[in-house]
Each structure stands twice: as C-alpha cells, then as structure tokens.
Amino acid sequence: MKQRLKTREEKTITPMDWKKIAVIGGGISGLATAWFLREEALKQGRRIQVDLFEKEARPGGKFETVEQEGYIIEGGPNGFLDNKPWTLDLVRFLGMEDRLLTSDQAAARRFIYSRGRLHELKPSILSFFLNGPLSVAGRIRIAGEFLATPTPKGEDTSLAEFARRRLGSEALERLIDPMVSGIFAGDPSRMSLRASFPRIAELEENFGGLTKALLKLRRDRIRAKRRGEEVTVSSGPSGPGGVLTSFKSGVRELTDRLAGELDDRFHGKEQVFTLEGKDGRWRVVSSGGDYTADSVILAMPSDAAAGLLAPIAPEAAQLLFQIPYSPMAVVGLGYRLADLAPPPHGFGYLIPSVEGINLLGALWDSAIFPGFRSDPDHFLIRAMVGGAQDPETPTLPEDVLLDFTLKNLARTMGLSAKPVFHALFRWEKAIPLYTVGHLERLERTESHLPPGIFLTGNAYRGVGINDCVRDARTTAIKTLDLLDGQRL
Ligand SMILES: Cc1cc2nc3c(=O)[nH]c(=O)nc-3n(C[C@H](O)[C@H](O)[C@H](O)COP(=O)(O)OP(=O)(O)OC[C@H]3O[C@@H](n4cnc5c(N)ncnc54)[C@H](O)[C@@H]3O)c2cc1C
C-alpha cells in the first residue's frame, strides 16, 4: 500500500498567528525573495514563516560553480555588474563584502570576431569609429543615426527593426547581434526592444534618438563635473558599464549563503507538483509532502510556473507558456599556461551570427579574475555555444561538441594548444527571450493571477543577476503588503 506522506504541518509546528509563505524555486530569485521576506518582516515587526522548495538537491539554479583540478569553473553566470546597487546591497546586508572579487583591469578589453580577426572595442567613440569591426560605409550609416525615424510612441518593436532603422544593417549584424548573444544568447529579430533594453527605448523616447541622447548626457556630465558633483561613467560601445564582480570561490558562494540563512526552511530535492486553493489559503504539494501557505511565490522558470498555474489560472498559464527560452552549453577548457604563447589578455570576445560559426564567443576567465579561477601556471577559458539562433549545437554528444568548440576556437582566436582539462554544462532552458509585446503580456498575466500568488524570476523583468535581486525585493514587499491587507 502507498504510504501517506506526512503533511508538513505534522512535521513542524508554527505558531497559529504566523503567516506562512511558500517560495518555489531555489535559484537566486527564489533565495533572494525568501531572504528579503524575512528581513522586511523583521524590520516591520511581523511574524512570518518562509519555506523554500527546490527540486534539485543543491541551491542556486543557474548559479553553478564547480571546483575541479585547481580550476573554479562557472557553469552559468560569472558575476554581476557593480553599476547597479541591488546585488551589492544584498552582499553588504549579508556581510559578505570580504568575499567579493572584482575583475582585473584587463577585463576592460573586449573583442568582436569579424571578417577573420578579433577587433578590440575601444571605449572612446573616436577610436571605436576608427578601429571597430564596421566598414567605412557602416560607420557613415551610424553617423546618420540622428536622422532616423523614431519608433512610434508607446509601440514595442523588435531589436533588429530598431537597430536596422537607426544604425543600419551592418551595425545590426556586426555589433548588436553579438551584444545580444553576449547577454541573452538571443535573436534580435524576435526580441522586444522595450523589455530587453529598456534604457535604450527610454533614451530614444526622451531625446528623439541615441546620438542626441549621448550628446545631451555628455553635456550634462561635463556641467555636473564643473559644479564639482560626482559623475558616474556610463556604458561605452564595448558593452554595459560597470565592473564585473564575483566572489573569490565563484558565484555559488552567494546562493549557498542565502540557502544557509534559511537553514532547515530550505527544502532541497522537493519538486512542487501541484497548487490548490484551500479555504482561502494555498495547498502546495511537493515530493516531500503537503504544505499550506497564505501566499505562494513562483520563482521557477516560466514554463514550470505555467504548469502549476494551469488548473487554477489557465489564462495566466497560457500566457506564460508563450515565453521561449534559448538553450546553451558552456564548455570550460583548462590549458597549461606554457602552451599558450602569449595567454589571452582581456575579457573575451563575441561572434556575430552572420559569421556562420557555431560559437557565441569565449570568456578568458583566468585573465578576468587572475589568480582565482586556475592555478598560476594554468589558464581557464569558457566557450559559449548555442543560443536562440543555434539551438542544435548544445545538444551534440559531448565528444563532438568538444571537438567542434576546439576547432572554432582555433579558427577565431588562433588557439591551437590542446586543453588538459574540460568541463561541460548544458542548459536546455538557459535564458528566457523577451519577445515583442513581452511587457504587455506580462501585465495581462499578472492580472490573471489568483490573489496571494506572485511571480518572480528571470523570465519577467530582467535576466541579469541585478534584475533578479531587484525583482526579488519588490516581490517580497508586495507579498507582505498583501498579507497585511488581508489581515489573515
Ligand atoms: C550560461 C549562463 C551565463 C549567464 N551569465 C550571466 C552573467 O554573467 N551575469 C548575469 O547577471 N547573469 C547571467 N546569466 C543570467 C542569470 O544567471 C540568470 O538569469 C539567473 O541566475 C536566473 O535565476 P532564477 O532564480 O530566476 O532562475 P533559475 O536559476 O533558473 O532558478 C529556478 C529554480 O527553480 C527550480 N524549479 C523548477 N521547477 C521547480 C519545481 N516544480 N519545484 C521546485 N523547484 C523548481 C529549478 O530547479 C531552479 O533551481 C547567465 C545565465 C546563463 C544560463
């Protein structure tokens, strides 16, 4: 006879007047939400119990750091940018500042592979124009950006349409496409400008164009400097501004620490199967038993959230199922330093899809964080494969994928040395794609959510670690406000 699973209430005793919140999904989004819930409740003198359910044994989701043979290899993110406060603030609250690791100066050197060689993307606009990967015609076309027709007010458009209209086809293919690969492993022809690059949409809307916006912001900065005010440097053409920041033993330090803070309220290896309304509360059924919550936060990938919502909120589920994901593989490759002459110096490079090479790019981790990602006489490179425009390559058998990657590294960065170590990470659903209309669909989805259910995670309001942490805090506050309003 099938043994009845104990309800969680039978296993733990919670005072009757405490509100109970279930967070489902133990990636950075769920872990940070649980942490903010407890912190905010403490600040407000509220009594709550937060339980987090994660289907894998280990916390972290896409935060996967592996230590092997003297290498520290990131299977997912390798850090966050310090130009936004959210992750840094969380790290400070946790008292982990001494664990932070900032990238080396060398990481300011970023490259794009184009027409047979690597081009360094200089931060100065002038040298970018003189040395970038664009032809003279492509550069002249960019210079005409201020003449471009603006996007109709309030309308969403694809990144490709926007870039072609404002900057020209060559800039789209040789600059925007690899930049999009670097952040989203995405496809500019499907991606929403407003949802994926809100700042760019905002600059166009507020200033009538990008050149006009850059000039106006530059003038403002010069004036502010003259007034003796502190000026933050914004992004150059080589990518988003800010310094890449990680942890000495890898990003996993942060998610391990957050899970540790939850102690036995982190329920690893507990997949949630169903969610049912029960007397104005929610019954969460997981592989570990039953749990009754006043509020439930879904911090899992959107398709998994849709699966749980389908019986109780079919319209929301149907909209969530429409969010596509790009698959990716990360190939970590360890080399003897002596075999690399000279070793790569910089952040790494991206490859435009128009080059027809099945490689998104490569990151030179041992140059980004010298002394922290490999032994001093070794060097770690991570190659990124796949994305929305090449979904097949990440599914190749390991030996074929490895061989393929090495050939493409030889072709693009002239790397002929044999690696002495490799590690492969596959992500079937690596990064969600915000397609055109994403923000409008998200608003509709949320309007169909039953009371007490919230969504957070990288599928909604930003894929970067900073975005996930910011959204986690907003979601925690919204949840507490609702519980307060309900006065349950
Ligand atoms: C290769 C790669 C490189 C990246 N590089 C960077 C970078 O350098 N910088 C940056 O800022 N961002 C980067 N990102 C993006 C960033 O890492 C992610 O957006 C972020 O980590 C997502 O966190 P999350 O918690 O929202 O989702 P996830 O990490 O996907 O977590 C969701 C969790 O939900 C769990 N789950 C699913 N279903 C259930 C269920 N039924 N019951 C219980 N649990 C369930 C999953 O097991 C998972 O642990 C990268 C992403 C990838 C894939």
Side-chain angles (χ1 to χ4, degrees):
M1 200 175 80
K2 201 173 166 213
Q3 220 186 339
R4 187 182 74 86
L5 286 170
K6 266 190 180 177
T7 70
R8 203 164 293 279
E9 280 76 5
E10 286 170 289
K11 290 190 238 167
T12 61
I13 299 165
T14 306
M16 290 290 283
D17 59 339
W18 288 37
K19 300 288 171 267
K20 289 171 73 186
I21 304 170
V23 178
I24 309 177
I28 183 64
S29 299
L31 289 164
T33 306
W35 192 84
F36 283 121
L37 278 167
R38 286 165 48 138
E39 275 304 298
E40 285 294 326
L42 203 67
K43 265 200 245 160
Q44 298 174 17
R46 312 261 301 266
R47 288 178 299 186
I48 61 164
Q49 180 187 306
V50 182
D51 285 83
L52 189 148
F53 302 91
E54 164 55 49
K55 75 172 176 172
E56 304 294 337
R58 80 168 173 88
K62 301 294 181 308
F63 279 50
E64 184 170 11
T65 312
V66 170
E67 283 195 59
Q68 241 176 302
E69 297 185 29
Y71 297 97
I72 292 183
I73 317 120
E74 300 287 12
N78 69 343
F80 59 92
L81 294 173
D82 73 348
N83 59 345
K84 307 244 176 82
W86 303 297
T87 314
L88 274 182
D89 283 350
L90 176 62
V91 170
R92 284 189 197 114
F93 286 139
L94 291 164
M96 292 180 73
E97 295 101 313
D98 63 325
R99 300 303 306 158
L100 285 173
L101 176 65
T102 46
S103 51
D104 192 76
Q105 269 294 317
R109 301 185 70 215
R110 289 160 191 246
F111 298 82
I112 281 192
Y113 175 84
S114 181
R115 301 184 175 105
R117 71 180 183 91
L118 293 180
H119 299 258
E120 186 171 348
L121 291 174
K122 302 277 187 185
S124 116
I125 301 261
L126 184 66
S127 42
F128 167 74
F129 258 84
L130 295 177
N131 306 309
L134 299 187
S135 68
V136 174
R139 290 174 208 171
I140 292 172
R141 174 63 184 82
I142 290 193
E145 189 273 337
F146 67 97
L147 296 171
T149 332
T151 311
K153 256 207 161 23
E155 202 170 278
D156 196 8
T157 183
S158 78
L159 205 51
E161 190 284 320
F162 172 87
R164 201 176 289 115
R165 169 163 45 82
R166 298 217 69 100
L167 305 167
S169 298
E170 195 180 341
L172 165 65
E173 285 174 359
R174 307 255 157 207
L175 287 177
I176 308 298
D177 172 282
M179 184 174 93
V180 167
S181 299
I183 306 173
F184 297 94
D187 175 356
S189 67
R190 294 164 65 200
M191 289 169 65
S192 151
L193 173 72
R194 276 178 181 279
S196 313
F197 291 95
R199 176 75 179 140
I200 292 182
E202 197 184 291
L203 289 179
E204 191 200 31
E205 195 159 311
N206 295 343
F207 298 95
L210 304 183
T211 316
K212 286 178 193 159
L214 285 180
L215 291 175
K216 169 80 172 72
L217 294 176
R218 192 161 168 266
R219 266 201 309 274
D220 289 351
R221 268 203 308 277
I222 293 170
R223 282 188 195 138
K225 236 184 193 166
R226 279 200 200 121
R227 288 196 298 270
E229 293 165 14
E230 203 184 314
V231 176
T232 45
V233 181
S234 67
S235 23
S238 54
V243 174
L244 183 74
T245 306
S246 183
F247 296 84
K248 289 172 185 157
S249 302
V251 292
R252 200 182 149 170
E253 277 199 52
L254 178 59
T255 43
D256 279 354
R257 174 63 188 276
L258 286 167
E261 292 278 317
L262 283 171
D263 202 9
D264 61 353
R265 297 284 168 204
F266 174 83
H267 308 284
K269 255 185 157 176
E270 281 204 30
Q271 178 165 4
V272 173
F273 298 121
T274 53
L275 206 55
E276 288 166 18
K278 186 187 163 195
D279 309 327
R281 301 175 85 199
W282 293 103
R283 180 170 169 245
V284 179
V285 181
S286 79
S287 46
D290 282 20
Y291 181 87
T292 307
D294 298 294
S295 193
V296 177
I297 298 171
L298 305 177
M300 61 230 284
S302 49
D303 57 330
L308 290 185
L309 287 171
I312 52 171
E315 295 90 347
Q318 197 253 334
L319 288 160
L320 288 176
F321 275 128
Q322 291 176 30
I323 301 176
Y325 279 76
S326 319
M328 259 176 97
V330 176
V331 189
L333 296 161
Y335 293 86
R336 265 192 224 98
L337 201 59
D339 293 342
L340 305 172
H345 184 65
F347 189 85
Y349 63 100
L350 294 164
I351 305 174
S353 53
V354 68
E355 290 287 337
I357 297 172
N358 300 76
L359 185 69
L360 292 166
L363 298 178
W364 301 328
D365 282 25
S366 292
I368 300 172
F369 299 119
F372 285 91
R373 294 297 178 258
S374 55
D375 290 338
D377 52 348
H378 284 241
F379 197 97
L380 179 70
I381 292 177
R382 283 186 312 137
M384 308 288 165
V385 176
Q389 301 187 75
D390 177 20
E392 299 305 322
T393 309
T395 65
L396 293 172
E398 182 162 345
D399 54 336
V400 182
L401 181 54
L402 185 63
D403 188 46
F404 215 56
T405 303
L406 293 177
K407 280 189 181 130
N408 284 328
L409 288 176
R411 180 170 164 196
T412 52
M413 61 177 274
L415 183 66
S416 54
K418 289 236 167 332
V420 290
F421 165 85
H422 85 268
L424 172 64
F425 305 84
R426 296 183 204 257
W427 302 108
E428 194 192 325
K429 298 207 160 121
I431 299 189
L433 277 191
Y434 299 168
T435 53
V436 177
H438 175 85
L439 294 178
E440 183 266 325
R441 277 193 301 277
L442 182 58
E443 216 176 289
R444 274 199 287 144
T445 308
E446 293 198 307
S447 74
H448 289 297
L449 288 178
I453 307 265
F454 295 90
L455 291 172
T456 191
N458 67 351
Y460 312 111
R461 288 164 283 263
V463 302
I465 297 171
N466 274 317
D467 304 309
C468 293
V469 174
R470 182 199 51 200
D471 200 55
R473 182 158 189 271
T474 313
T475 307
I477 292 171
K478 264 198 314 204
T479 309
L480 289 177
D481 285 352
L482 177 103
L483 288 179
D484 204 25
Q486 280 183 335
R487 268 287 56 104
L488 288 159

